[in-house]
Amino acid sequence: MSDFVHIRTGQDYEKITHIGGVQTTHCANRFEIIAKPNAPVLEEDAVHALREWVRWRNTQMLSDAGDMPS
C-alpha cells in the first residue's frame, strides 16, 4: 500500500496518515497508532503526532466550552 493522508473535517473530524506501514488516526476523542508487524515506529514522530493531537483536542474543548450559554 502506498503512503497517504486522508482528512475529513466537520463534526466528525478525522485525519488518517499511512506512511511506511504505520497508520496514525486522529479523531475528536481518539488517537491511534497501528503498525504492520515489521514496520518501524519512530518514537520521535509518534510522540510529536500525539502532542499535536493533544494540543488540537484541548483547543477544541476550550472553544466548545466557550460556546455554551452562561
Side-chain angles (χ1 to χ4, degrees), residues 10-29:
Q11 186 177 4
D12 296 327
Y13 168 79
E14 175 182 77
K15 175 183 173 188
I16 299 172
T17 58
H18 190 281
I19 301 172
V22 178
Q23 178 176 306
T24 306
T25 303
H26 308 234
C27 296
N29 295 308

Side-chain angles (χ1 to χ4, degrees), residues 13-61:
Y13 168 79
E14 175 182 77
K15 175 183 173 188
I16 299 172
T17 58
H18 190 281
I19 301 172
V22 178
Q23 178 176 306
T24 306
T25 303
H26 308 234
C27 296
N29 295 308
R30 177 172 55 109
F31 178 86
E32 181 177 52
I33 298 174
I34 301 171
K36 290 187 175 186
N38 295 322
V41 177
L42 302 177
E43 181 180 0
E44 185 175 333
D45 292 346
V47 170
H48 178 73
L50 176 60
R51 284 184 177 143
E52 283 184 346
W53 176 79
V54 168
R55 287 184 195 117
W56 173 84
R57 186 172 186 279
N58 287 341
T59 300
Q60 293 302 309
M61 289 176 60

